Amino acid sequence: MAKSKNATSHHNARKHHKNGIKKLPNQRYTSLNGCNQRFAKNRRFAIKNDPSIKKNKSLETRLAKRKAGKSKNIH
């Protein structure tokens, strides 16, 4: 009995290029998985407590501004 072929890469390059080999999109924020845990925890506290870092406005302030804007439009 003849030996069978185990694997081949014939035609695979053409199949890969058929839709184009695309570059992976860059991530906006790199993951902290595998990072030093003490560093990651300290970084979280630093971001939380540093006033120079801009943060998203809280829900209450956004709702208050929206309510103030609606009352101005009524008059």
Side-chain angles (χ1 to χ4, degrees), residues 23-75:
K23 189 175 180 181
L24 290 174
N26 291 335
Q27 290 183 336
R28 180 175 289 185
Y29 302 109
T30 57
S31 172
L32 291 176
N33 286 353
C35 181
N36 185 351
Q37 291 180 348
R38 188 189 306 168
F39 170 77
K41 190 171 184 179
N42 188 33
R43 183 177 176 274
R44 283 198 304 268
F45 286 122
I47 289 171
K48 182 179 177 182
N49 298 318
D50 190 1
S52 66
I53 297 174
K54 292 183 180 179
K55 297 176 181 64
N56 291 333
K57 295 178 181 173
S58 65
L59 181 63
E60 294 83 20
T61 56
R62 284 187 283 161
L63 290 175
K65 282 188 177 182
R66 191 178 298 163
K67 191 179 282 187
K70 285 183 180 179
S71 64
K72 288 180 184 177
N73 293 338
I74 293 172
H75 296 130

Side-chain angles (χ1 to χ4, degrees), residues 7-26:
T8 180
S9 63
H10 178 71
H11 191 67
N12 283 343
R14 183 175 296 175
K15 289 194 292 185
H16 294 317
H17 284 83
K18 188 173 185 179
N19 295 318
I21 297 178
K22 297 175 181 71
K23 189 175 180 181
L24 290 174
N26 291 335

